[in-house]
Amino acid sequence: MNSSSTRRVVVTGIGIVSPLGIGARAFWDALLAGQSGISRISSFDPSHFPSQLAGQVPPYKINDFVPKTYRKATKVMARDTELAVIAADDAFKDSGLQSKAHAETPSFNPTRFGCNIGAALISADLAELTAAMHVAHSVENPEQLDLNLWGTNGMSQLTPLWLLKYLPNMLASHVTIIHELRGPSNNITCQDASSHLSIGEAFRILQRGDADLAIAGGAESRINHMGVMRQSLLNRLNTTNNDSPATAVRPFDSTAAGTIVGEGGALLILEEYQHAVNRNAKIYAELVGFGASQDSYKVTDPAPDGRSYANAISKALKDANLPPAAVDCFIPHGLGIPSHDRAELAALNQVFGAGLSKLPLAPIKSQIGNLAAGCAVDAAAAILSLHHNQLPPSPNTKTPLDNIPLNTSPTPRNQPVNVAISSVYSLGGQNAALVFKKI
């Protein structure tokens, strides 16, 4: 994709909402300090679930992150949408751009500002559904749901705007309305790969000149009954560490026993380079490469040989016109699921070969859990590593999986970072990688 005529794209704002805190600074400081954002689920009683842990976002009030004129609309926001709205607010404030949410007159042309936000299958609020189902049971058999009564008595218990809370495109819809963004807008729903694919799509939109700015990333919360149950049924969760949350997720470790659900997300302000220079913007990094691929293997597992995942990373490096040896920081997916970690290591070995043992790896999910569509936090970590010349720690990667030597550290590392990569894979087989470079 890169050529002499292709427009350059830089990152000028980072908004993060995570189990380690709200705001990029809070997240980064806690990440470097080795703090854990994983704890026992507090939003409902998890005692009936085999895995009772989650990476939970600290308490917040959504009204603190939206204009007064928009607070009524928060009543139809699912938690996933709230997380995206918070991340967007943080990203705009960090970028120095004035949107409709913060000023009467925006500091940019709204028709040239796009939005691409990754989302997931948003789980319905069980309290709402059970209240409706309560009046839709058969009179003859109280334990059986009567579909005729559900269509009349049951659904009448739901607010007319109920469905608007759970459509995946609502994350982008609310963000664009709040900030009055009228450029190209899209929503990608591909599980854990959603946010990276969204950032990649926004990257292409800016490269080809269809917009000058874009907000891109993703957000999700799986901390609800259905979210935890789905992951439990897929045998993806650690069920043996309920009494030791901080050590539950152990990426690429021989003792790894599964991942942990989480919630959060990140949104990046992407900007055409000259547009950013003209307004004297703070530039974190340049986005120079994007690659995507599909496993075509199984819905529930990554391909064991890692070939397609490796292809996404190789394509991103080719797009960036960089060799594998140029990478100074790699934020892998690193779920802590042994079979998944093996597939990811197989892919990294194909890309980096003998250089894998020297590749600086920083798997961060041991501190936050799996944020799924909110994995844009991984991309943000790669950018912040590059910006601060620091690599996050890997506190739970102690005994290498299958004795494969890896370049990780239990403590943060201070070293030059000129090129950083974040890569992800998803249930369904989508893979994506992003390459960031210092200006």
Side-chain angles (χ1 to χ4, degrees):
M1 181 74 188
N2 280 353
S3 70
S4 58
S5 61
T6 300
R7 303 197 327 158
R8 297 170 67 185
V9 178
V10 294
V11 179
T12 57
I14 302 175
I16 298 177
V17 53
S18 81
L20 291 177
I22 296 175
R25 172 51 64 183
F27 163 77
W28 186 244
D29 288 347
L31 189 68
L32 290 185
Q35 295 177 17
S36 174
I38 299 173
S39 59
R40 181 178 172 81
I41 293 172
S42 59
S43 56
F44 62 89
D45 180 6
S47 58
H48 296 292
F49 289 93
S51 177
Q52 299 164 14
L53 305 176
Q56 304 176 99
V57 169
Y60 63 83
K61 294 180 180 179
I62 188 59
N63 283 348
D64 293 340
F65 301 93
V66 299
K68 290 182 180 179
T69 55
Y70 202 74
R71 289 177 181 172
K72 187 176 180 181
T74 62
K75 295 179 180 179
V76 288
M77 287 184 188
R79 189 167 177 87
D80 301 50
T81 301
E82 291 182 352
L83 297 174
V85 166
I86 294 170
D89 183 72
D90 189 39
F92 269 100
K93 289 175 179 175
D94 184 50
S95 72
L97 292 163
Q98 295 291 309
S99 76
K100 179 186 175 183
H102 308 114
E104 263 189 58
T105 304
S107 61
F108 52 82
N109 180 353
T111 65
R112 298 287 297 170
F113 205 129
C115 177
N116 286 71
I117 299 182
L121 177 65
I122 301 175
S123 296
D125 187 327
L126 284 192
E128 293 176 331
L129 287 180
T130 52
M133 293 175 69
H134 182 70
V135 297
H137 282 85
S138 168
V139 176
E140 293 79 13
N141 184 359
E143 296 183 358
Q144 182 176 339
L145 183 70
D146 187 322
L147 292 181
N148 290 321
L149 288 175
W150 169 254
T152 54
N153 299 7
M155 291 190 69
S156 65
Q157 301 299 309
L158 301 175
T159 171
L161 299 179
W162 179 82
L163 185 59
L164 287 182
K165 288 181 68 174
Y166 304 108
L167 297 175
N169 68 310
M170 286 297 104
L171 284 70
S173 294
H174 284 283
V175 168
T176 53
I177 293 170
I178 290 170
H179 298 281
E180 198 178 279
L181 312 179
R182 300 201 298 267
S185 178
N186 200 356
N187 158 247
I188 294 179
T189 305
C190 288
Q191 293 285 332
D192 295 11
S194 301
S195 58
H196 283 58
L197 292 171
S198 295
I199 294 169
E201 175 62 18
F203 177 44
R204 297 297 188 225
I205 288 171
L206 267 62
Q207 279 188 320
R208 63 178 180 254
D210 289 338
D212 297 320
L213 302 115
I215 187 166
E220 182 180 357
S221 176
R222 285 183 174 171
I223 307 178
N224 50 69
H225 296 82
M226 285 190 279
V228 175
M229 180 56 72
R230 290 189 188 108
Q231 298 302 304
S232 294
L233 292 174
L234 289 168
N235 295 316
R236 291 165 60 84
L237 303 182
N238 183 328
T239 62
T240 61
N241 283 79
N242 289 325
D243 59 346
S244 54
T247 60
V249 184
R250 303 185 287 277
F252 309 117
D253 192 88
S254 61
T255 66
T259 194
I260 294 297
V261 296
E263 63 178 359
L267 291 177
L268 310 178
I269 300 293
L270 302 183
E271 191 166 352
E272 190 273 324
Y273 173 69
Q274 196 57 50
H275 189 282
V277 170
N278 289 346
R279 71 177 187 89
N280 197 29
K282 171 182 60 182
I283 295 177
Y284 283 101
E286 183 175 2
L287 176 53
V288 292
F290 167 58
S293 66
Q294 170 60 249
D295 277 5
S296 298
Y297 176 67
K298 282 184 180 180
V299 172
T300 56
D301 298 279
D305 62 11
R307 187 179 306 170
S308 292
Y309 182 61
N311 187 33
I313 300 169
S314 295
K315 287 167 68 175
L317 282 167
K318 183 179 179 181
D319 191 38
N321 195 28
L322 290 168
V327 181
D328 303 306
C329 173
F330 197 105
I331 308 291
H333 203 35
L335 290 178
I337 303 172
S339 60
H340 292 45
D341 286 358
R342 286 190 174 94
E344 186 166 13
L345 288 176
L348 295 180
N349 185 60
Q350 291 172 50
V351 177
F352 296 96
L356 176 57
S357 62
K358 298 179 181 178
L359 176 68
L361 281 178
I364 66 172
K365 290 182 177 60
S366 60
Q367 293 173 251
I368 60 175
N370 181 18
L371 307 191
C375 279
V377 170
D378 294 31
I383 297 165
L384 291 169
S385 293
L386 189 149
H387 182 67
H388 293 289
N389 289 309
Q390 291 177 296
L391 271 67
S394 309
N396 294 343
T397 305
K398 298 177 180 178
T399 310
L401 181 66
D402 298 335
N403 295 315
I404 298 174
L406 298 175
N407 184 5
T408 61
S409 171
T411 57
R413 290 172 279 179
N414 297 319
Q415 61 188 65
V417 180
N418 293 305
V419 176
I421 292 181
S422 174
S423 65
V424 292
Y425 55 86
S426 71
L427 285 175
Q430 291 87 5
N431 310 291
L434 300 166
V435 182
F436 301 95
K437 184 180 179 183
K438 260 196 177 73
I439 289 288

